[in-house]
Amino acid sequence: MVPLLQLQDVTFGYDREPVLRDVNLQIHDCDFLAIIGPNGGGKTTLLRLILGLETPWSGRVHWAGGGLPRIGYVPQFSTFDRNFPLRLRETVMMGRIGHRGWLRRRTRADGEAVDRVLTDLGLAAFAEQPIADLSGGQLQRALIARAMVCEPEILFLDEPTASVDAETRGTLANLLAELNRQIPVVVVTHDVTAMAVHVKQIACVNRRLFYHGSGQLSHSQLEEAYGCPVELIAHGVPHRLLHAHDECGNE
Amino acid sequence: MSELALFFSYEFTLLALVAGLLASVLGGVLGTFVVVKRLVFIAGGISHAAFAGLGFFYWLGHDPLIGAVLVAVAAALFLGLFSEGQARSQDAMIGVLWAGGMAVGVLFIHMTPGYAPNLMTYLFGDILTVAPRDVVLLAILTAITLVLLAVLHRGLVAVAFDETFARVQGVPVRVLTLLLLVLVALAVILLIQVVGIVLLLALFTLPPMIGLMLVSRSFGLVLLAAVLVGMLMTAGGIAASWTMDLPTGPAIVLTGIVIGVGVWGVKALRFRFRGNS
């Protein structure tokens, strides 16, 4: 099977030192991939390379169709201003920009697509509220709606569980599993426990990509990635795909 | 009432009023982007750097406006291109341009033989002495800005809200940011005449801040609110300056601050009496 996305020997950094070295990764059509690893290990950088926001020093990022496909992207809360004067509906509408080009005026089809996604994600009742008034969980769903409204071929989420409470994490994981029935989902996270039940593949990144696959992560593999002993907690009912773990040390 | 009639009977006061209203449109529209994108100090750096060009062209015996425009646009492009991923050095660079521009400008004006222009006019502005040519230029720039806003607003708002997402969507974030900075640079030059270099940041920051306090539902409405607040501020400032014989620049700025404090006070009171709802 031809992978949707293939990274071959990708090396990249911001200054002289590479942040990522010789990274190889494949994403296939039905994947639910978690990219995990310690803070500062290059998870977000890897995501930026995949999204085409950075160009690798060497190696290549190759998409099956040649160019970038339509990408759904859910950023961290910290990358935008929560008090920005926008209604939920307008925020989701921004996801349509990539659909036909940023210079085009919005059409009726855009409005219908937005309404559909808002209904699907249970946000229709809040459509006219300013985003500043939304709860963390509602805002998170709004960002997913904004990503989904462009009818993406793949969905990326950067630390989706970082700013929401435990209950929301559960619903979020179920939602992503549902979306995963149609498109591949890639989650960058330092907290894999919330997703553990649904995640099918794991890539462990710390400067290099240490593990990539769908079997159980072993102690030694995690220790190699984190550079220190990591406590593993058995997890993953009902099909025990992986063990979860704490961050090593404080970082 | 007769005083008001007198005000409207002079050509220069009417010109000042028109200049003030145009400046409000420019300051409100561009300022809202400047405020939400946190470019306030870049705008400050550009305006002060421009003084170098102004002084240099004055010394050469050319139109100082052209020198100011050249340096301001160059500073805007420089700071815009310098910005990616180097926040600390950019911050320091703004300081260098800020002080360096003023130093060069003052030096050249000092070296120019003959009658030295009133530095105070450049620093604090005097809208009552605004020339017809400046009003025409203001009108042209305002029209260009509004047309660009109408055509590019989807991209501009997307960039203002969430740059990374906009880039993933294929919006040319860099080009739009540079375009915004160049428009700010041009506006800054023309606003020097209205409120002066030191005070022009008030026209970029006060109306958008008040607009953001008044509106939370729509970016477009914030733009509109900022423009209206700016108009109230400039018209009020000119009126205060006319009736109480005050310098116009400070009168405009202080009117804006009074409006801002008033809006904030009313919001705080309403919040207190209605509770958190």
Side-chain angles (χ1 to χ4, degrees):
Chain A
M1 192 162 116
V2 183
L4 177 64
L5 170 69
Q6 196 163 12
L7 272 72
Q8 283 173 339
D9 301 318
V10 169
T11 298
F12 174 78
Y14 296 100
D15 290 316
R16 269 172 227 149
E17 280 292 299
V19 176
L20 291 170
R21 188 174 293 164
D22 299 328
V23 169
N24 287 284
L25 178 71
Q26 292 187 353
I27 299 174
H28 293 89
D29 277 338
C30 305
D31 286 6
F32 192 142
L33 170 69
I35 299 176
I36 63 168
N39 291 331
K43 299 187 297 282
T44 298
T45 303
L46 180 60
L47 183 58
R48 291 181 64 84
L49 281 161
I50 292 173
L51 294 175
L53 300 176
E54 309 288 353
T55 313
W57 287 355
S58 64
R60 65 189 204 122
V61 177
H62 180 73
W63 290 93
L68 279 170
R70 271 206 302 275
I71 290 175
Y73 169 61
V74 181
Q76 296 186 40
F77 281 20
S78 58
T79 60
F80 60 91
D81 178 8
R82 272 196 75 165
N83 291 316
F84 198 89
L86 270 181
R87 274 164 296 176
L88 170 55
R89 195 166 193 286
E90 291 303 305
T91 310
V92 175
M93 186 61 91
M94 285 191 179
R96 291 295 285 186
I97 289 175
H99 200 253
R100 293 194 328 130
W102 66 281
L103 274 170
R104 300 289 188 84
R105 299 206 150 267
R106 61 179 62 160
T107 61
R108 179 178 289 184
D110 291 334
E112 286 165 3
V114 169
D115 289 336
R116 221 177 305 128
V117 169
L118 286 175
T119 309
D120 285 351
L121 294 184
L123 289 166
F126 313 106
E128 299 305 319
Q129 285 202 25
I131 54 167
D133 292 355
L134 299 178
S135 71
Q138 288 164 350
L139 183 59
Q140 184 62 266
R141 267 183 292 155
L143 294 182
I144 294 172
R146 183 180 67 161
M148 290 305 295
V149 81
C150 76
E151 293 156 31
E153 290 157 64
I154 182 166
L155 181 64
F156 290 94
L157 300 96
D158 195 357
E159 299 286 2
T161 56
S163 315
V164 295
D165 57 39
E167 195 187 335
T168 313
R169 275 176 215 174
T171 16
L172 178 66
N174 290 333
L175 171 62
L176 294 181
E178 185 135 340
L179 296 174
N180 182 228
R181 286 190 200 154
Q182 295 141 32
I183 53 170
V185 173
V186 180
V187 178
V188 171
T189 182
H190 66 272
D191 161 42
V192 79
T193 50
M195 303 282 157
V197 187
H198 303 293
V199 163
K200 297 177 193 161
Q201 293 83 19
I202 286 196
C204 196
V205 178
N206 188 9
R207 306 275 153 186
R208 306 170 61 127
L209 201 143
F210 280 87
Y211 173 83
H212 175 216
S214 46
Q216 276 197 0
L217 268 173
S218 73
H219 263 271
S220 59
Q221 283 161 336
L222 272 180
E223 279 184 26
E224 197 188 351
Y226 280 71
C228 67
V230 179
E231 195 183 345
L232 287 174
I233 303 161
H235 192 77
V237 186
H239 35 247
R240 190 174 282 232
L241 273 167
L242 65 130
H243 294 289
H245 58 85
D246 290 339
E247 299 268 13
C248 61
N250 293 322
E251 260 314 298
Chain B
M1 213 53 218
S2 64
E3 200 156 11
L4 202 64
L6 201 62
F7 179 88
F8 284 107
S9 67
Y10 291 118
E11 198 176 310
F12 73 95
T13 51
L14 282 178
L15 213 53
L17 198 61
V18 172
L21 296 180
L22 288 171
S24 308
V25 178
L26 265 185
V29 170
L30 294 175
T32 304
F33 285 99
V34 165
V35 166
V36 299
K37 285 205 41 118
R38 297 177 195 194
L39 300 174
V40 172
F41 277 87
I42 292 190
I46 291 170
S47 63
H48 286 75
F51 200 61
L54 196 147
F56 182 59
F57 268 59
Y58 184 77
W59 178 73
L60 286 176
H62 290 305
D63 187 349
L65 189 75
I66 294 169
V69 166
L70 291 177
V71 174
V73 171
L77 293 175
F78 176 72
L79 288 174
L81 291 172
F82 202 66
S83 65
E84 299 246 313
Q86 302 179 56
R88 191 188 61 187
S89 11
Q90 191 203 36
D91 197 42
M93 193 51 73
I94 291 170
V96 172
L97 281 179
W98 192 300
M102 291 306 287
V104 171
V106 171
L107 216 62
F108 274 112
I109 287 181
H110 173 77
M111 290 188 333
T112 308
Y115 173 73
N118 191 353
L119 269 179
M120 291 293 276
T121 310
Y122 289 125
L123 295 183
F124 298 103
D126 189 354
I127 200 171
L128 292 174
T129 64
V130 70
R133 180 193 71 162
D134 293 336
V135 178
V136 170
L137 288 175
L138 258 180
I140 292 171
L141 185 61
T142 306
I144 291 173
T145 304
L146 291 179
V147 168
L148 285 174
L149 182 72
V151 177
L152 306 176
H153 72 277
R154 269 189 103 180
L156 284 170
V157 177
V159 172
F161 176 53
D162 188 342
E163 252 183 54
T164 312
F165 186 80
R167 274 185 73 182
V168 173
Q169 295 261 297
V171 178
V173 172
R174 240 166 154 199
V175 173
L176 289 180
T177 307
L178 284 177
L179 175 70
L180 185 64
L181 283 175
V182 168
L183 284 174
V184 166
L186 295 174
V188 155
I189 300 308
L190 296 179
L191 292 186
I192 287 177
Q193 186 60 240
V194 182
V195 284
I197 288 175
V198 179
L199 303 181
L200 69 83
L201 280 186
L203 274 183
F204 276 94
T205 50
L206 274 168
M209 273 176 67
I210 297 168
L212 286 164
M213 280 196 266
L214 291 169
V215 183
S216 64
R217 310 182 75 83
S218 146
F219 191 76
L221 286 180
V222 173
L223 287 181
L224 188 65
V227 168
L228 293 176
V229 168
M231 287 178 168
L232 197 63
M233 173 175 152
T234 40
I238 292 170
S241 140
W242 179 258
T243 49
M244 289 183 268
D245 195 23
L246 300 169
T248 46
I252 290 171
V253 174
L254 288 174
T255 308
I257 289 177
V258 168
I259 297 172
V261 171
V263 169
W264 177 80
V266 168
K267 278 200 83 172
L269 282 176
R270 274 178 54 179
F271 186 73
R272 204 163 161 170
F273 285 117
R274 281 204 194 158
N276 193 355
S277 65

